[in-house]
Amino acid sequence: MKDNRLISIKNTLLISLLMFTLWSCKNDDNEIVKRNWELVWQDEFNTPGAPDAAKWTYDIGNGPNNDGWGNAELQSYTNRAENIVIADGKLKITAIKNGNAFTSARIKTQGLFEQGYGRIEASIKLPYGPGIWPAFWMIGNDVNTKGWPQCGEIDIMEGRGQEPNIIHGTVHGPGYSAGAAITASYGLQNARFDTDYHLFAVEWTENCIDFYVDDVLYSRITPEKVTGNWVYDHPFFIILNVAVGGNYVGWPTTSTPFPQTMYVDYVKVYKEVK
Amino acid sequence: MKTLKNKYLNCSLLALMLLVAGCSERDLNDLQQATQYKTTPEVFIDGFPGDLQYAAFGGSDVKAFDVDKEVKYAGIASMKIAVPAVNDPNGAYAGGVYFSTTGRDLSGYNCMTFWAKATKSASIDLIGFGNDLGANKYQVSLSGVAVNTNWKKFYIPIPDPSKLKMEKGMFFYSEGPENEEGYTFWIDEVKFENLGTIAHPQPQILGGVDKTTSAFNNIKITIDGLSETFNLPNGINQTVNVSPAFFEFNSSDPAVATVSETGVVSVIGGGNTVITAKMGDVDAVGSLNISSGGDFIHAPTPTLEASRVISLFSDAYTNVPVDYFNGYWQPYQTTKSADFEVNDDHVLNYTNFNFVGNGFSNPTVNASAMSHIHFDLFVPKGITGGQLKITVRDFGADGADGGNDDTNQTQTFTSLTTNAWNSLNIPIKSMAKRTKIGLIVYEIVGTSLTNFYLDNIYFYNDGSIIPAVPTVAAPNPTQPAANVLSIFSDAYTNVAGTDLNPGWGQATVVTQPTIAGNKTLLYTGLNYQGIQLAGSLNVSGKTYLHLDYYTANSSTLNVYLISTGPKEKGFALTVPSSANWTSVNIPLTTFSGVVNLSDVIQLKFDGNGNIYLDNIYFY
């Protein structure tokens, strides 16, 4: 199930640390709209072994163009248990260093579960260390026909291991992708995302994508905020991965501790019930 | 590079160097608060809080530290440390302690932080806290603090803050010249913080390695390599040195070994135990698996006089310099060393043995006066059928291993006894060269002998080699002086007027060299040699003629008594002598049939070789 356009260019705008900015919305950006959510899909990772093949497929290797998935990432993705396994009720994606080579894993729901709108959330404990790039994100299911970034990309959570107290929420679309993507960051004042589980979520409706960390709304993206077409009107699929190195995060250093594991307690998807 | 210089501190030095750095105006109220251990986090922001004082380390430049109001990271001042260059008369390095006179409760913090920069890129030897000029019980430090010309924030996490309820050691540093040159660094905003961004603490003992060792009762082993790794706010791991008191040590079987609060293991019984440690709730990485044989069986104490021995490894002798007892030859050697000391007896222990070498080429050993090399080898329980090949190598003219001029002497020992000391002796007299021996190689034969102990490695002379010159003095006479008529001895008053070198036309050269502090009589190139007494000596009341002689090269040696006439009678002495002099007591009846014992006027020796003589007397 390789998709050679399944590439996300994640150079983002430089952003200041510990940003709590709420982007202006039509009325009240700060307003959390209470909605009724109905659980429609989940994986609580309670069955030890490989990920459930009915829910997840793998991306394998260094990317279809052998260019580190379009980002000069260093790792080769595998489906080996040392890189990806379910144990102790968690999905564990582990980046491993072998000399100067790295392996890790990336799984996705493409072709198995795709949805437009709703609440998409995951409880995750992040890996850490310079050059470690964990992500929980989505790509439009028309990526094969329209290409990227026309298909749209919603990065619910991306981390840079050299900043273990900060995560980023981003959208990429036509005219605002890669370094021009629309992004916001959320930082913990005196704690880190790699020492405990945090809930990363987007609440996505027709004209609004709200980014949450632990029920704190830190970014609201609307059609007015994006500098191109609003392409978030069709089903997307979910991706979980840990990359090593790349344009977005920089290279791991000799002081980067390996192996590094991202622990996912659960992924849940809801639909709004009106 | 220096090690922790404060080890060398003594109290009197400190008292001399105590410089008050902080303001010390305190009223009664302050003092009362002090006894409750303030939680003040600041160490140096723009000056020192009132409870802090500075003391320079012994041997350091006492003026290295100053407060700088020009260069600072924030506020109005920083700490400036001027590191001296090599050979600076004011001190060899910069180092000192900032200590709280009252003590502080730091249990609410998890990290010391500070900013630092320097006039050039440098690696500061040591910065830390917990040096209280006393026991330094809870000491934490960062080695090789990499500073450069930009201000940078540093973190020194506290391994277990709950222990720091009354800490006095607030900050210390130690730094020597960089590439022999002096330079300056600045420290600012030194304080304790409680940071949620310090994560993933991982304590280590023994450098984080699982080690194995064999041991015996009364052996003490210090658990070292104590550290803890933390992930800093930038995602990078940093390891700090941690004193033992932060750890809780454990022995899995306290009947085999106990471990003290300071990490010193005392072996008290036979069996197996594993030493581990915890830091708070976190298990330390690294362990020591001790296999104790119980009471140690010591190697037999050597009995040979030191003069007949060249010792490489023995507590019974003074050892010559040895370069190494384990050369760790790469890449094929698997042998590790686990040498130990029990009841003041040092023992070599080779584990995971395949082969190993003892090198001693600075200088090499001249074993020309030695006939054998000796080893005491203990085969631990559980090893049977152990066989060992030992090679002794002379380096030849070049004095170095190799070069096509080496000489090897090899012996294989095939019947080693288990759980006992085996006395191994290899003859080396037949070695073509043995004046520049520099190496002993031990090699396993078969696969059994994977572990053994060695003690008492020495070359010795079994008596078959007689050095040309005696190495010891002749034995001290034991006869009471009243019974003795002495001709030549330092032990008695000799009869007066004796001519030790009368001109009888002999070729013999007579000298009186001192051997081991004792004057002896030496006949070099003996053909014959007389001793002319001052007059007639009546020895008819005596029973024996005693003499001590030493010769390495004589094949014939006779001693004669001569009375007026001349009437003489000889007595053949066994030659060569022993390696440690030969003492003879010749019954005067040997001579009395010919010689008039009441009228002895001369003694005479004939034969060949070089003869040392001493203690010639009648009794």
Side-chain angles (χ1 to χ4, degrees), chain B residues 474-490:
Chain B
N476 276 327
T478 54
Q479 289 298 321
N483 298 348
V484 168
L485 271 176
S486 177
I487 309 299
F488 184 90
S489 174
D490 287 334

Side-chain angles (χ1 to χ4, degrees), chain B residues 420-433:
Chain B
W421 285 97
N422 295 263
S423 178
L424 312 181
N425 298 288
I426 303 176
I428 57 171
K429 257 200 299 192
S430 60
M431 284 179 80
K433 293 173 185 163

Side-chain angles (χ1 to χ4, degrees), chain B residues 603-615:
Chain B
L603 286 79
K604 186 180 79 173
F605 292 85
D606 66 13
N608 55 34
N610 300 331
I611 318 293
Y612 290 84
L613 293 165
D614 203 355
N615 302 318

Side-chain angles (χ1 to χ4, degrees), chain A residues 128-130 161-162 164-165 190-192 194-195 255 257, chain B residues 194-200 231-237:
Chain A
Y128 59 94
Q162 57 268 43
N165 64 324
N190 198 22
R192 298 164 51 137
D194 57 344
T195 52
S255 353
Chain B
N194 191 15
L195 295 176
T197 49
I198 305 280
H200 309 297
N231 195 258
L232 300 184
N234 62 0
I236 285 173
N237 275 357

Side-chain angles (χ1 to χ4, degrees), chain B residues 3 23 63 83 88 90 104 117 124 130-131 143 177 192 195 200 238 281 336 366 374 446 483 487 489 512 571 577 602:
Chain B
T3 54
C23 168
K63 292 187 173 174
V83 181
D88 188 314
N90 293 321
R104 293 190 194 174
K117 69 173 269 186
I124 300 171
N131 187 315
S143 298
F192 289 91
L195 295 176
H200 309 297
Q238 174 187 277
D281 296 331
K336 304 284 186 199
N366 180 349
H374 172 87
N483 298 348
I487 309 299
S489 174
Q512 293 188 40
F571 176 84
S577 67
Q602 295 164 339

